[in-house]
Structures are given as C-alpha cells and as structure tokens.
Amino acid sequence: MKKLSYIKQSNGSHWVGDGFPVRNIFSYTDIAEEISPFLMMDYAGPHQFEPTEAKRGVGEHPHKGFETVTIVYDGEVEHRDSAGGGGKIGPGDVQWMTAASGLVHEEFHGRDFAKNGGKFEMIQLWVNLSAKDKKAPPKYQTISNTQIPEVKLSGDAGIVRVIAGQYGDHAGPASTFSPMNVWDLRIKGGSRVEFKVNAGDTTTLFVLKGKVGLQSGEELSEADLAVFERDGDTLVFNALEDSKLLFLNGKPLNEPVVGYGPFVMNTEAEIRQAFMEYRSGRMGHLS
Ligand code: MN
C-alpha cells in the first residue's frame, strides 16, 4: 500500500500573459527529484472570462529541454510554434508539445471562445526529458477528446480517461519519452478506488474538484496535490464527493535538474547555451 508522503498546496497565484490566471501547484524550483519526471504544474481557473475582440494569452516565448502538456477542461487554447506545430484544443482535448532541443511558441485563447467568453479551466504540466532526449527535435501532438479511451471503473465508481500510459488493456494516445501515466479521473462520491502502480515510481494525485480521503486519514480538497512515497504498488483512496482528479505517475529520471525559467537542462553550462541559442534566433521565430 502506498503511503502519503505529504500534501503540496499552491505556491500562490499569478497571471501568465493576460489569458491564464494560474495557481502554481509545484515547480522544479521547490520539488524536483521527488516529482521526476514531472517538472511543473500550473492550474488555470476556473475563471469566467467576459467576451472580447482582443487576443488573450501569451505571445512568443521559448522552451527547451522538456515537454509542455496542456489539458483543457473548459474553454479553448490555440497554439503555434516555430517547429511548425499548431492547433486549437477545447474541453477534453490535450496538447502535448515536445520542446526538446528548443523552439518558441505562443499560447492564446481560441478566437471563438474569446469572442463569446465563458468558463475557462486548464492544467499545464511540464514533463522532463532525459539528457539524450533533450537533444531530440521538437514535436507536437494534438490529442482530441475522442482519441482518449474512457474506461469505466468497476463498481460504477467512475471513469479513467487515459491520456498517457496504460490502464488495464487501454493505452493512452500520447507518445512519451519515458514511462508515465497521465489519467483524467471522474470519481463518484462514496466510491473507493484502487490503482496498481510500479513500486519505485513517482505517484501524485491532484484534486480539481471534490474531496478525497486517503487511507492514512488525511483529506484532499480542491487544488491539493498528494505526493506519495515511492514504496508500495497499490494506491487506494476514497472519493468523499463527486471528484475531478488528475493522476500522475512515472519513472523518475534520476538526473540533475538545472533550470532557469523556460529552459530545463542538466547543467548550468547548458542553460547558458540555451539563452545563447534563443537570443541568436536558433530556436526560430513565428512568422
Ligand atoms: Mn509556453
């Protein structure tokens, strides 16, 4: 049985550009090795946006050494990058962008969503790459709602939407560089859930909505992240209310994490190199 290591709460809120009112749940600057291969998680919204003709979001900026994974619950996000990737995602969709060797991109609300306004809620997760994969060319995966297997839990406890990894016989559509599970969970209040995981992996559970009771007696509320100990291969929890959760599990990379803002590498020298590449235009530009 997996034991709770601790409950991590938001580091505070800030706006990313004028489109994303986020709570930073964790970052490689506060927890790194214990959360590997994950690096950072921003929880945006839920926030009600008024209609606008303006372009809301964040303009051209670089990334190198990792992947950005955007999960939309409400609203629309449009993305464009210097490697030719781009697309618009809406509720239930996921954008999995591999920055790896470096690119620039922009992230805005979808034009129709901006025009009409409405409820906005998304998560952006940063997933680290091992030293060899940081050299890979950039890549972009649009994962639509309909591509994500929706698996019913036994006892009518709810559903697991497998974005990445595997639940039972169901594999998620995201292609990842290291083994991980990223699952969108909807659990009915009063249900007990049991997941098998690999002992030694990083395992966390984040609450977007609802309330969760852990075996050790602690309760998780909205915007709480439970970080579990590496030991043990069975995660058990109870949904105390109808709950919307994000389950993250993965094999730790066990490599040094040296980051500065949008660049996450293994050494200081590589960070200096990344700044040079960005300034000299080698990460490209958006036309
Ligand atoms: Mn970005």
Side-chain angles (χ1 to χ4, degrees), residues 61 63 105 107:
H61 62 279
H63 291 294
H105 78 159
E107 298 158 278

Side-chain angles (χ1 to χ4, degrees), residues 105-222:
H105 78 159
E106 60 175 27
E107 298 158 278
F108 285 101
H109 289 190
R111 214 155 292 169
D112 291 339
F113 174 77
K115 258 183 201 151
N116 296 319
K119 192 180 159 200
F120 188 88
E121 187 179 21
M122 67 159 233
I123 280 180
Q124 186 167 90
L125 184 68
W126 290 9
V127 176
N128 206 2
L129 297 172
S130 68
K132 70 170 167 44
D133 297 325
K134 287 177 188 294
K135 299 188 177 89
K139 189 167 102 176
Y140 180 80
Q141 304 172 65
T142 295
I143 300 167
S144 70
N145 193 13
T146 53
Q147 286 171 275
I148 299 172
E150 193 171 298
V151 188
K152 280 198 171 72
L153 288 164
S154 62
D156 200 27
I159 56 161
V160 176
R161 296 180 70 247
V162 188
I163 297 166
Q166 181 118 8
Y167 178 76
D169 299 335
H170 304 269
S175 138
T176 68
F177 284 82
S178 64
M180 73 190 69
N181 290 294
V182 177
W183 300 345
D184 171 17
L185 309 177
R186 312 299 163 110
I187 311 297
K188 288 186 184 161
S191 304
R192 178 183 186 274
V193 175
E194 187 175 321
F195 291 142
K196 283 279 176 217
V197 295
N198 293 324
D201 282 2
T202 295
T203 300
T204 74
L205 187 66
F206 179 68
V207 180
L208 291 97
K209 195 170 178 12
K211 211 174 260 292
V212 166
L214 302 176
Q215 290 303 93
S216 45
E218 284 92 347
E219 285 186 10
L220 306 174
S221 307
E222 283 169 27

Side-chain angles (χ1 to χ4, degrees), residues 4-286:
L4 176 71
S5 183
Y6 57 88
I7 296 171
K8 175 80 177 68
Q9 283 167 329
S10 158
N11 294 317
S13 11
H14 62 277
W15 280 78
V16 176
D18 61 359
F20 310 105
V22 306
R23 278 173 277 182
N24 177 250
I25 306 303
F26 65 84
S27 154
Y28 63 86
T29 56
D30 52 37
I31 48 176
E33 259 131 68
E34 60 206 290
I35 208 88
S36 176
F38 308 103
L39 280 173
M40 200 275 316
M41 186 166 111
D42 273 345
Y43 177 32
H47 184 88
Q48 188 70 30
F49 280 95
E50 295 301 318
T52 182
E53 292 299 319
K55 226 177 152 185
R56 276 201 193 105
V58 52
E60 184 173 310
H61 62 279
H63 291 294
K64 180 180 167 85
F66 59 97
E67 303 181 287
T68 66
V69 177
T70 307
I71 304 168
V72 174
Y73 295 91
D74 271 306
E76 280 179 354
V77 179
E78 269 187 47
H79 154 98
R80 213 155 59 90
D81 68 53
S82 57
K88 185 173 83 174
I89 57 169
D93 301 336
V94 175
Q95 166 198 293
W96 199 291
M97 187 196 77
T98 305
S101 62
L103 50 58
V104 302
H105 78 159
E106 60 175 27
E107 298 158 278
F108 285 101
H109 289 190
R111 214 155 292 169
D112 291 339
F113 174 77
K115 258 183 201 151
N116 296 319
K119 192 180 159 200
F120 188 88
E121 187 179 21
M122 67 159 233
I123 280 180
Q124 186 167 90
L125 184 68
W126 290 9
V127 176
N128 206 2
L129 297 172
S130 68
K132 70 170 167 44
D133 297 325
K134 287 177 188 294
K135 299 188 177 89
K139 189 167 102 176
Y140 180 80
Q141 304 172 65
T142 295
I143 300 167
S144 70
N145 193 13
T146 53
Q147 286 171 275
I148 299 172
E150 193 171 298
V151 188
K152 280 198 171 72
L153 288 164
S154 62
D156 200 27
I159 56 161
V160 176
R161 296 180 70 247
V162 188
I163 297 166
Q166 181 118 8
Y167 178 76
D169 299 335
H170 304 269
S175 138
T176 68
F177 284 82
S178 64
M180 73 190 69
N181 290 294
V182 177
W183 300 345
D184 171 17
L185 309 177
R186 312 299 163 110
I187 311 297
K188 288 186 184 161
S191 304
R192 178 183 186 274
V193 175
E194 187 175 321
F195 291 142
K196 283 279 176 217
V197 295
N198 293 324
D201 282 2
T202 295
T203 300
T204 74
L205 187 66
F206 179 68
V207 180
L208 291 97
K209 195 170 178 12
K211 211 174 260 292
V212 166
L214 302 176
Q215 290 303 93
S216 45
E218 284 92 347
E219 285 186 10
L220 306 174
S221 307
E222 283 169 27
D224 284 346
L225 178 88
V227 180
F228 296 92
E229 289 184 356
R230 293 259 162 90
D231 289 347
D233 65 358
T234 310
L235 176 68
V236 178
F237 62 89
N238 295 287
L240 305 175
E241 299 170 1
D242 285 356
S243 296
K244 178 161 84 172
L245 312 170
L246 183 68
F247 171 79
L248 301 176
N249 163 265
K251 194 173 181 317
L253 296 178
N254 293 319
E255 288 184 4
V257 175
V258 180
Y260 191 93
F263 308 132
V264 182
M265 304 300 292
N266 300 108
T267 67
E268 295 285 350
E270 287 169 331
I271 294 295
R272 287 193 294 272
Q273 174 77 17
F275 271 100
M276 214 178 66
E277 288 168 8
Y278 172 53
R279 289 199 194 109
S280 67
R282 273 164 60 191
M283 293 186 188
H285 285 291
L286 298 174

